[in-house]
């Protein structure tokens, strides 16, 4: 009976997690409800959770150390608990590690998410005026509060599809349609950041195909796709390509003179972060102090075309600025433990996810955007080592 109950809880939590994932691309509020249900069910199925945590003990330890360290620095800086929510998600979402997904389920999950995402895009006017480009075209943010979050999610699932198509040599219609949809949705966001991850991911897929894959596809195919992708962005008129060309017009000495508002603000934020880190390398300045310090800095320089924020759009500088350099070291240890796997195919997929995560964090402070960091954490936990329950 205990085994039946455990299997039932496992299946229901799997369904709840599936609905969380799919509704990420239709309605975030509904998505969060299913995520909470999945977490509660994983807690209730405590035996499976305990055994799974036990075989991932190194990852669990580093997450606990990270949480304790962040909490200690928060006390030191008198940081409100509301500023720490996203940093606790590595620990709070840990029960999801007991949920198991096979490759076939992952492919179906991504396909259904792609169809739902396309339906949402169509219903919300994402394609309106696209035939008149560059007139009447707007950045599509999908179900996210900011376009870059949605772009990172779509680009990551696009890369997972390429993993199955190229590395696993699974050229099924399901994978091809999913890849095509998420590439289109990524382009609609007009976001530059994920291009970094896509480039390095294709290079890594080429390396992995040459080193580990047993399929007969040439490892040069990902390089060819990369060449076509970059060439298309630069030659064919498209909003992502146009925004990419603006990166060449940087003015690091005086960011306020940069015409493009996004590049202007990001350049200033990075300069501000580096400047403050120099004097607060070990302990940081506390997350609740960034916006007020930035406001004071902007006002003292008479800069009015840059908005002060509570993060600096680069996760690695951001966490050092908030909690000191040691926090970055511990976070890096978590990342190393997340990609550990004895199974080569799983390790390749985990490495691709890490490339996308790290690349996205170069241009986004993801711990300041709960949908983004939760999405990545869930994907990583889904692929961690599992243990098969023995019959009672």
């Amino acid at each position: 009976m205990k085994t039946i109950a455990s299997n039932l809880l496992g299946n229901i939590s799997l369904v709840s997690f599936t609905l969380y994932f799919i509704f990420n691309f239709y309605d975030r509020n509904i998505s969060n409800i299913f995520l909470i249900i999945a977490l509660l069910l994983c807690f209730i199925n405590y035996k499976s959770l305990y055994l799974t945590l036990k075989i991932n003990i190194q990852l669990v330890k580093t997450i606990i150390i990270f949480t304790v360290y962040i909490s200690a620095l928060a006390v030191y800086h008198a940081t409100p608990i509301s500023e720490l929510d996203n940093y606790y998600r590595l620990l709070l979402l840990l029960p999801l590690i007991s949920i198991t997904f096979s490759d076939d389920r992952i492919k179906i999950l991504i396909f259904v998410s792609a169809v739902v995402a396309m339906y949402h895009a169509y219903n919300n006017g994402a394609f309106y005026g696209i035939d008149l480009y560059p007139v009447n075209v707007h950045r599509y943010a999908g179900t996210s509060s900011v376009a870059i979050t949605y772009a990172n999610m779509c680009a990551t699932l696009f890369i997972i599809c390429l993993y199955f198509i190229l590395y696993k040599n699974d050229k099924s219609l399901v994978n091809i349609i999913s890849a095509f949809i998420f590439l289109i949705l990524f382009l609609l966001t007009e976001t530059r950041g994920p291009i970094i991850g896509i480039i390095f991911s294709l290079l890594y897929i080429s390396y992995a195909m040459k080193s580990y894959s047993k399929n007969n596809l040439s490892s040069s195919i990902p390089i060819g796709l990369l060449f076509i992708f970059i060439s298309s962005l630069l030659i064919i008129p498209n909003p992502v390509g146009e925004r990419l060309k603006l990166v060449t017009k940087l003015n690091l000495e005086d960011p306020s003179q940069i015409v493009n508002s996004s590049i202007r603000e990001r350049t200033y934020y990075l300069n501000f972060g580096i400047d403050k880190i120099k004097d607060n390398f070990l302990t940081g300045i506390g997350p609740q102090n960034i916006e007020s310090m930035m406001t004071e800095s902007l006002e003292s320089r008479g800069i009015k075309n840059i908005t002060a924020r509570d993060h600096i759009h680069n996760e690695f500088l951001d966490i050092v600025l908030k909690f000191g350099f040691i926090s970055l070291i511990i976070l890096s240890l978590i990342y190393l433990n997340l990609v550990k796997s004895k199974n080569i195919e799983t390790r390749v997929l985990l490495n691709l996810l890490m490339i996308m995560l790290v690349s996205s964090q170069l241009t986004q402070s993801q711990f300041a955007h709960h949908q983004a960091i939760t999405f990545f954490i869930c994907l990583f936990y889904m692929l961690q080592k599992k243990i098969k329950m023995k019959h009672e």
Side-chain angles (χ1 to χ4, degrees), residues 4 47 76 96 122 129 206 215 236 252 265 270 322 355:
I4 294 174
K47 185 172 182 180
Y76 174 77
L96 297 176
Y122 179 79
S206 177
N215 71 55
I236 300 173
L252 298 177
E265 291 188 341
L270 293 178
K322 292 176 179 177
I355 289 172

Side-chain angles (χ1 to χ4, degrees), residues 52 54 59 94-95 125 128 142-143 179 211-212 232 275 285:
T52 308
K54 191 175 180 180
L59 173 62
L94 203 49
Y128 177 74
T143 56
S211 304
Y212 311 121
S232 299
D275 183 61
I285 64 175

Side-chain angles (χ1 to χ4, degrees), residues 46-84:
Y46 63 90
K47 185 172 182 180
S48 175
L49 175 59
Y50 171 75
L51 292 174
T52 308
L53 292 175
K54 191 175 180 180
I55 63 171
N56 291 280
I57 192 64
Q58 290 302 318
L59 173 62
V60 175
K61 286 179 179 177
T62 51
I63 289 173
I64 291 174
I65 292 171
F66 177 77
T67 306
V68 171
Y69 185 80
I70 291 295
S71 300
L73 265 293
V75 172
Y76 174 77
H77 291 299
T79 301
I81 192 69
S82 59
E83 296 281 355
L84 304 175

Side-chain angles (χ1 to χ4, degrees), residues 9-212:
L9 283 171
N11 289 333
I12 298 175
S13 61
L14 181 67
V15 171
S16 297
F17 182 88
T18 299
L19 292 172
Y20 148 73
F21 199 92
I22 292 170
F23 273 101
N24 249 307
F25 298 92
Y26 188 77
D27 188 314
R28 277 190 301 158
N29 294 324
I30 299 176
S31 174
N32 290 333
I33 292 172
F34 283 115
L35 179 62
I36 293 171
I37 293 173
L39 280 168
L40 290 174
L41 291 170
C42 290
F43 265 120
I44 295 172
N45 195 9
Y46 63 90
K47 185 172 182 180
S48 175
L49 175 59
Y50 171 75
L51 292 174
T52 308
L53 292 175
K54 191 175 180 180
I55 63 171
N56 291 280
I57 192 64
Q58 290 302 318
L59 173 62
V60 175
K61 286 179 179 177
T62 51
I63 289 173
I64 291 174
I65 292 171
F66 177 77
T67 306
V68 171
Y69 185 80
I70 291 295
S71 300
L73 265 293
V75 172
Y76 174 77
H77 291 299
T79 301
I81 192 69
S82 59
E83 296 281 355
L84 304 175
D85 172 49
N86 289 336
Y87 293 96
Y88 287 159
R89 287 183 184 249
L90 283 162
L91 181 64
L92 295 175
L93 296 174
L94 203 49
L96 297 176
I97 201 171
S98 62
I99 294 177
T100 303
F101 268 85
S102 64
D103 278 2
D104 288 338
R105 283 179 174 173
I106 292 174
K107 286 181 279 189
I108 295 299
L109 176 64
I110 293 176
F111 176 72
V112 175
S113 298
V115 173
V116 169
M118 181 58 78
Y119 177 76
H120 181 275
Y122 179 79
N123 275 356
N124 287 271
F127 299 97
Y128 177 74
I130 200 166
D131 56 317
L132 302 175
Y133 180 82
V135 180
N136 205 30
V137 175
H138 65 280
R139 293 188 71 183
Y140 176 60
T143 56
S144 304
S145 57
V146 290
I148 190 173
T149 293
Y150 197 72
N152 282 320
M153 291 165 56
C154 291
T156 299
L157 294 186
F158 168 66
I159 288 299
I160 294 177
C161 292
L162 290 186
Y163 160 81
F164 285 116
I165 295 169
L166 299 175
Y167 183 79
K168 298 294 290 286
N169 197 19
D170 183 354
K171 297 183 286 296
S172 65
L173 199 58
V174 165
N175 290 330
I176 294 172
I177 291 174
S178 299
F180 180 75
I181 288 176
F182 280 118
L183 176 61
I184 294 298
L185 293 176
F186 156 63
L187 293 174
L188 287 174
T189 65
E190 302 183 22
T191 305
R192 295 172 293 245
I195 294 174
I196 301 170
I198 292 174
I199 291 173
F200 282 104
S201 292
L202 283 169
L203 291 174
Y204 177 72
I205 290 175
S206 177
Y207 165 78
M209 287 174 66
K210 186 175 182 180
S211 304
Y212 311 121

Side-chain angles (χ1 to χ4, degrees), residues 350-368:
L350 286 169
N351 285 339
L352 285 170
L353 279 179
M354 187 55 68
I355 289 172
M356 293 305 296
L357 172 62
V358 171
S359 299
S360 66
Q361 290 184 331
L362 291 173
T363 57
Q364 182 183 31
S365 298
Q366 288 193 347
F367 283 104

Side-chain angles (χ1 to χ4, degrees), residues 22 100 248 312 343 367 380:
I22 292 170
T100 303
T248 59
I312 58 176
N343 183 290
F367 283 104
F380 276 109

